[in-house]
Amino acid sequence: MAKYQTLHVKAPGNWMNDPNGFIYYKGKYHLFYQYFPYAPVWGTMHWGHAVSNDLVHWEHLGIALFPTKDYDRNGVFSGSAIEKDGNLYLYYTAIRYLECEKENIHKPVDDLFYASQALVVSSDGIHFDNWKNKKQMIPVSDDEETAHPFNTRDPKVWKEGDCYFMVLGSTYKNEKGKLLFYKSRNGHDWDFVNSCQDKYFGSILECPDLFSLGDKYVLVCSPDGIVPDTGGYNNHAVCRLASFNPDTCDFTPEDRFTFVDYGLDLYAPQTCLDAMGRRVLIGWMRMPAAVENGENGAWRGMMSLPRVVEQKDGHIYFKVHPEVYNYFSETSMEKNRIGDEGICCLQAELQEGETLIIGGFKIWRENNCLCTDRSAVMEIPGKKEFGNLHMKCKTPELSGGCSLEIFVEPNLVEVFVNGGEYVISNVVYSPGDSIEGNILRKYLGKEQIS
């Protein structure tokens, strides 16, 4: 995988998952990510690091954080970043296994491990002293009524007024998901303030992100087990409007949720404010198998396009970021645009009953919902069966028409409906000829709408 990438941040060889520490800091966007540098499988987590001037052109800088302490010896799990006094503060969950597997030290026996919350401070956002500048802030919980000792993780930190706030995902006895709230005056010393349990938090809550948007707060999180287990993923990224009192950390979510992305491959999204103050979201696109044609060998895992989060009439929109439009506007094609690396941007309007086929990827409108089917582009040599991995997806009923913006690259199709009213993003695999090649040859110049 190349050091420089456009539009989508991909694993620079081997494994990538959750976005971490997403922040605009000292004139650059920093995107850290869960990274296993030894194989295209999940293992002992490090933080990889990529930077960008515009959310479109990315440069990988290598490994930023890695295990060095007794409390994080088995993994630097997900977390977030803030700027404080000109420094970059990286908060993360530190992992220590009770016991490692004998034949694979990168996995815990019976999935048992201790989780605590830790901090690394960098003066420039480029150099990170993993030996001297780490600090364990919140130790392993000894009170399961407050926080689970294993499954409490993914600190998201922000400043509001004169205080720093932290939300953590947790669980009560691995049965009910739980959201924890901590406060700090200095970003170092933290006090537990409040918690919230909810039927839509699943059995374990992961990767919470709470932020204000207009007159409401928005909670983006990834609960486990909120939809029936159909053989695919049983944990999904959702978003909800809520009210939040910073003084008491009383939190009341509205009694409904929507998926962040109805393709159901996107997981563990994280947001930050961009250079113009817009709330921007990037999520991990889960990949069930590795891609073998990387410049640095096999790679697995990539990030979505950056999306602006907006709220209108009680609905949360995820719109294409303006910098993505700026990138495609540099090309000369009027309606369907091709970027420097052959990544396509297509536009279409679907009427009820119409179908659009892009290199085998099927999109249609039915009962005023947008539907997709990727089964024709999910073939990998030696891995023919993916199970019921959400091959067919659909949005809720649309509010009006069905205007589409479709972004396609060899292993991902992202479909934005009605300016971000809903999004369906699907990971794809094509044998031999890529889906991208199929589009360039079959789609442009003669739209396949029936």
Side-chain angles (χ1 to χ4, degrees), residues 99-401:
E99 182 182 357
C100 295
E101 290 188 1
K102 301 298 184 186
E103 298 300 318
N104 184 355
I105 63 169
H106 298 290
K107 289 187 176 182
V109 172
D110 297 328
D111 203 29
L112 296 177
F113 53 83
Y114 287 123
S116 59
Q117 316 310 319
L119 168 67
V120 175
V121 179
S122 168
S123 62
D124 60 4
I126 303 297
H127 301 94
F128 305 89
D129 190 334
N130 285 266
W131 307 96
K132 296 180 180 179
N133 286 351
K134 282 183 178 176
K135 173 187 176 183
Q136 188 184 44
M137 302 175 303
I138 302 176
V140 177
S141 173
D142 59 3
D143 177 13
E144 192 172 344
E145 295 296 317
T146 299
H148 197 279
F150 303 159
N151 292 317
T152 296
R153 51 182 174 265
D154 312 331
K156 180 62 191 287
V157 177
W158 75 98
K159 187 178 183 183
E160 192 164 341
D162 295 328
C163 285
Y164 295 91
F165 294 83
M166 176 191 294
V167 286
L168 285 164
S170 189
T171 179
Y172 180 70
K173 297 183 177 180
N174 288 332
E175 296 172 355
K176 296 180 179 179
K178 197 171 184 181
L179 186 64
L180 309 180
F181 296 88
Y182 288 75
K183 260 186 178 182
S184 172
R185 286 289 180 182
N186 57 16
H188 289 266
D189 305 302
W190 294 87
D191 296 315
F192 173 76
V193 180
N194 212 335
S195 67
C196 177
Q197 290 183 206
D198 184 86
K199 63 182 178 181
Y200 293 129
F201 286 172
S203 56
I204 300 174
L205 190 66
E206 293 190 307
C207 302
D209 189 346
L210 181 65
F211 51 89
S212 60
L213 197 65
D215 60 348
K216 293 276 190 177
Y217 280 81
V218 174
L219 174 67
V220 175
C221 58
S222 297
D224 185 78
I226 59 167
V227 297
D229 187 354
T230 59
Y233 302 120
N234 62 358
N235 45 7
H236 299 287
V238 303
C239 55
R240 301 172 69 182
L241 294 174
S243 60
F244 175 65
N245 184 330
D247 294 330
T248 61
C249 289
D250 286 329
F251 175 82
T252 306
E254 294 190 357
D255 195 25
R256 61 189 289 271
F257 73 87
T258 56
F259 291 113
V260 173
D261 191 300
Y262 281 80
L264 303 182
D265 286 346
L266 186 147
Y267 193 70
Q270 190 169 105
T271 73
C272 76
L273 294 176
D274 70 4
M276 302 299 293
R278 293 170 293 221
R279 179 64 57 173
V280 183
L281 176 144
I282 286 181
W284 167 44
M285 302 307 306
R286 297 181 278 197
M287 301 179 72
V291 176
E292 302 292 342
N293 62 353
E295 182 178 307
N296 297 331
W299 63 276
R300 186 174 171 189
M302 62 190 300
M303 300 299 173
S304 69
L305 286 175
R307 305 169 182 190
V308 176
V309 187
E310 295 183 357
Q311 185 248 130
K312 180 180 178 182
D313 298 329
H315 184 75
I316 301 171
Y317 287 73
F318 298 97
K319 299 184 174 184
V320 180
H321 194 278
E323 290 286 4
V324 176
Y325 291 129
N326 291 342
Y327 169 75
F328 281 105
S329 69
E330 297 172 1
T331 66
S332 60
M333 302 191 68
E334 293 183 1
K335 183 178 181 183
N336 304 315
R337 304 181 184 277
I338 307 172
D340 295 336
E341 299 179 8
I343 301 171
C344 303
C345 170
L346 315 173
Q347 296 176 331
E349 186 84 28
L350 284 187
Q351 302 300 318
E352 181 70 20
E354 285 189 328
T355 298
L356 170 64
I357 300 176
I358 302 175
F361 188 87
K362 185 179 178 182
I363 306 170
W364 72 99
R365 183 177 175 183
E366 180 179 345
N367 297 325
N368 201 30
C369 299
L370 184 76
C371 307
T372 64
D373 184 348
R374 61 171 163 177
S375 56
V377 285
M378 285 294 282
E379 301 176 31
I380 297 179
K383 191 174 181 66
K384 298 180 179 179
E385 181 57 55
F386 285 101
N388 188 18
L389 193 62
H390 311 296
M391 293 298 175
K392 295 183 179 181
C393 302
K394 75 172 184 176
T395 68
E397 186 173 351
L398 304 177
S399 62

